[in-house]
Amino acid sequence: MTNKPWQDKLIDIEPYVAGEQPQSADIIKLNANENPYPPSPSAAAAIREFDGNTLKKYPPIKPTELRNAVAEHYALDSSCVFSGNGSDDVLAAAFRAFFNSDMPILFPDITYSFYPVWCSLMKIPYKVLPVDENFEINIEDYAQPNGGVVIPNPNAPTAIGFGEEKIRRLLDLNRDCIVIIDEAYADFSGYSCVGLIKEYDNLVVTQTFSKSRSLAGMRVAAAMADPYLISYLDAVKDSYNSYPLDSIAVKAGTAAVRDEEYFRIVTDKIIATRQRVSEEMKELGFILTDSRTNFIFARHVSLSAKEIFEYLKSKGVYVRHFDLPRIDNYLRITIGTDEDMDTMLALLRSMPGILQG
Ligand SMILES: *Cc1c(COP(=O)(O)O)cnc(C)c1O
């Protein structure tokens, strides 16, 4: 077979593969780390009350309303806040803006699988640094020449987080490059390093409204950094899409950030469910990492992750299994409602070979 002349000019890329998105209502979906609870009632009201006639106009170039609300939540000046269509969009802009070195950027071997995808799309060299046998990140590994660093804290899919001391060490080791901390799950961990952007002008913190704010379908996220870095994020964004957040997303996102009380209630509830389900799973013979997120990362003492995954799926419960080196015997299980988690636990108990706690 001969290739057509243009075929060797096509992009050579392995795309990111998201978790299955079955649309049927009678399944229990614990495979994409979505929030099981609805967004703040005021976000839903903002959408209901949105005047559709105003859509004839472009949205604001900078969604000041939303950025102000995020800035207030973190006690920052709004010049320290960038926003975009989900953190995938924000992170892609940050990779483009900050990772322009011939040196490789650094990230852990087990981490968010979008990072290598963006690197290949944007031709950014990268080097992965193995996490240890307990999936812990060794910060001292990041003391090497590099073109930048990106680490999720807590990490995914391992669910493990680290505190301020390690973040400071990482930043002190990397004063000459940009360090991105992806805080997609930080709201479930009790620790955010956002406060450190005042001390470290090379720190960029990204957060998403998809998980703790229950707005995955709306595509809203933010980055916090020194205003000088924010200006570069805006410049990149304005170079390919200067109106990323639509008018409805701006209203709903702003209302969601302003509803501090609802946010606390929902995140506390998910954390409580996570603790309870973790204990029950241990009794059934599961070995879990210390989750600081809205999901559990676990393997079973005798049953394979694959067979548990298939069994749950056959009963209408979708969890995530990664056929990847080092983690192919683990399951990533999103924390759902108490009722959904009880259904899953009952199914696990009914599995031949499970330990009976
Ligand atoms: C979910 C997730 C994101 C992206 O979420 P968006 O829905 O695009 O905002 C980014 N990083 C990590 C580690 C995630 O788990």
Side-chain angles (χ1 to χ4, degrees):
M1 239 180 53
T2 57
N3 269 2
K4 295 203 193 314
W6 45 261
Q7 274 179 301
D8 58 4
K9 298 181 185 68
L10 299 177
I11 191 164
D12 175 21
I13 196 160
E14 286 268 356
Y16 173 79
V17 185
E20 290 174 85
Q21 292 287 2
Q23 297 296 330
S24 154
D26 53 349
I27 64 137
I28 295 180
K29 196 168 173 306
L30 307 175
N31 71 346
N33 295 345
E34 292 146 331
N35 199 308
Y37 301 106
S40 152
S42 42
I47 297 168
R48 228 172 19 250
E49 290 155 17
F50 187 85
D51 177 3
N53 291 329
T54 64
L55 286 175
K56 69 184 181 194
K57 287 194 178 164
Y58 279 109
I61 295 182
K62 299 241 182 324
T64 315
E65 225 183 318
L66 176 73
R67 292 188 184 189
N68 285 345
V70 172
E72 224 167 276
H73 177 72
Y74 289 110
L76 299 169
D77 189 83
S78 66
S79 61
C80 300
V81 181
F82 172 79
S83 51
N85 295 99
S87 42
D88 292 339
D89 178 52
V90 170
L91 285 161
F95 273 47
R96 193 71 201 79
F98 306 131
F99 295 159
N100 294 292
S101 165
D102 295 332
M103 305 277 279
I105 69 158
L106 308 176
F107 51 84
D109 61 338
I110 299 173
T111 195
Y112 189 38
S113 47
F114 233 125
Y115 303 153
V117 174
W118 287 316
C119 285
S120 71
L121 181 68
M122 300 180 208
K123 303 194 190 332
I124 299 168
Y126 66 94
K127 181 172 172 186
V128 295
L129 302 176
V131 294
D132 73 12
E133 65 285 2
N134 301 315
F135 300 130
E136 299 272 356
I137 292 169
N138 180 9
I139 296 295
E140 300 306 317
D141 292 346
Y142 292 77
Q144 58 176 290
N146 65 66
V149 175
V150 57
I151 297 182
N153 188 37
N155 195 8
T158 64
I160 300 171
F162 46 82
E164 179 140 327
E165 202 180 319
K166 281 193 171 185
I167 295 273
R168 279 185 184 278
R169 179 73 185 143
L170 176 70
L171 288 161
D172 288 332
L173 288 171
N174 289 283
R175 291 313 299 240
D176 298 335
C177 66
I178 300 292
V179 176
I180 300 177
I181 302 294
D182 177 351
E183 290 194 343
Y185 301 102
D187 289 329
F188 304 103
S189 79
Y191 173 69
S192 165
C193 68
V194 166
L196 295 180
I197 65 166
K198 291 174 183 159
E199 263 175 82
Y200 294 90
D201 59 4
N202 60 328
L203 169 64
V204 178
V205 184
T206 63
Q207 290 213 347
T208 176
F209 286 41
S210 299
K211 281 123 189 183
S212 58
R213 304 275 177 186
S214 314
L215 285 174
M218 195 109 234
R219 315 307 302 134
V220 185
M224 280 68 72
D226 185 272
Y228 182 72
L229 296 184
I230 298 295
S231 71
Y232 278 85
L233 289 171
D234 276 322
V236 166
K237 181 210 67 173
D238 290 346
S239 303
Y240 69 86
N241 176 8
S242 54
Y243 299 104
L245 277 173
D246 67 69
S247 312
I248 303 172
V250 172
K251 291 285 178 208
T254 305
V257 190
R258 296 219 180 274
D259 194 348
E260 205 67 47
E261 189 189 353
Y262 182 84
F263 168 71
R264 299 272 163 232
I265 291 169
V266 168
T267 42
D268 286 351
K269 200 168 162 114
I270 290 171
I271 292 167
T273 306
R274 175 184 81 201
Q275 298 313 93
R276 174 179 76 84
V277 174
S278 297
E279 290 314 312
E280 296 196 37
M281 283 182 69
K282 283 178 198 163
E283 286 172 15
L284 300 177
F286 282 90
I287 295 160
L288 283 66
T289 60
D290 180 17
S291 172
R292 301 290 156 132
T293 61
N294 67 338
F295 60 89
I296 283 169
F297 193 59
R299 70 179 172 88
H300 191 261
V301 282
S302 54
L303 299 173
S304 79
K306 183 101 185 161
E307 66 188 308
I308 300 170
F309 169 82
E310 296 293 352
Y311 181 79
L312 289 175
K313 187 171 164 177
S314 74
K315 306 284 182 189
V317 175
Y318 284 66
V319 300
R320 192 88 198 261
H321 172 247
F322 298 92
D323 227 335
L324 293 173
R326 300 190 71 185
I327 58 169
D328 58 350
N329 205 25
Y330 281 78
L331 295 170
R332 191 194 71 185
I333 305 169
T334 305
I335 302 300
T337 60
D338 280 305
E339 196 190 350
D340 288 350
M341 299 318 277
D342 287 340
T343 304
M344 183 201 66
L345 288 167
L347 284 171
L348 289 175
R349 279 188 204 101
S350 74
M351 239 191 123
I354 211 94
L355 300 183
Q356 296 301 330

